[in-house]
Amino acid sequence: MAKHGKGGGGGKGADAAGGKKGASGSGPAAANGAGASSSGIITGGSGVGAYSLEIREGCVALMRFRTRDGMNALLDPISNAMEGVIANRLGHNFALSDKDREHQNLRKTCGLPKTVRYVIATLDGDAHSIRHEMCHARYYLDPPYRTTVAQVWEGALTPQQRESVCAFLTRLKYDPCVHEDEWQAYLVTEKSNFFGMDLAEAQQQLAAAFPPGSWRLLTL
């Protein structure tokens, strides 16, 4: 996940079922004061805890919060349990587990459709972090894309380049187990020389793995 947006394809906008849940006045979303706009974006919470909710790809819940305090009050319990306590997060991203009570409570409180498998939360207007976190969602949810990332990592980079990228990410305090995932998310959303070397070829190969019309090409 991005340190600037701490909390990962074929974008088709808001899921119809998600929009209907808020619009019909039934279900958990309505019970918690949430409602849907004509665009299929559900609004929830109030005051500092207000947020908008949009379902992307049919399985990714994109939550945009009005304030950081409101976002963290709702989502810190989940992120802290998964990553350890981090003060003043700028965002959240995690896979939903139907076996975890906190995850079940979040799904009920926010009226998340059963199809939602991944949650991304940022502050309203932070489109750049959304793009980065959507890369993480794709990496987690799309096995063929994950395979492509591994192939590009091994085939387009030299051993010395991989070592340099890992050293770069280690300085940013990323655990080695997520280096490949973070590498792809940064390379897709930043300039090709983000890691201090020209990785334009690798960047083009990753970009080609996103289908035409996907979220990567849309305004977020």
Side-chain angles (χ1 to χ4, degrees), residues 3 6 166 169-182:
K3 295 295 183 182
K6 189 170 180 61
C166 289
L169 292 171
T170 297
R171 289 194 295 272
L172 294 182
K173 308 301 183 183
Y174 287 112
D175 190 282
C177 69
V178 300
H179 280 182
E180 187 177 293
D181 184 13
E182 290 298 339

Side-chain angles (χ1 to χ4, degrees), residues 108-141:
K108 181 177 180 180
T109 298
C110 298
L112 301 181
K114 293 182 179 180
T115 56
V116 169
R117 298 173 55 200
Y118 203 93
V119 174
I120 293 171
T122 68
L123 295 179
D124 193 28
D126 189 2
H128 189 78
S129 288
I130 293 172
R131 292 181 184 277
H132 181 103
E133 306 302 351
M134 285 293 286
C135 287
H136 289 311
R138 178 178 280 279
Y139 185 85
Y140 176 81
L141 296 168

Side-chain angles (χ1 to χ4, degrees), residues 188-211:
V188 169
T189 58
E190 304 288 348
K191 294 182 178 180
S192 61
N193 63 353
F194 177 80
F195 291 101
M197 66 194 85
D198 186 11
L199 297 179
E201 180 180 350
Q203 186 181 65
Q204 291 168 6
Q205 290 181 32
L206 292 181
F210 289 82

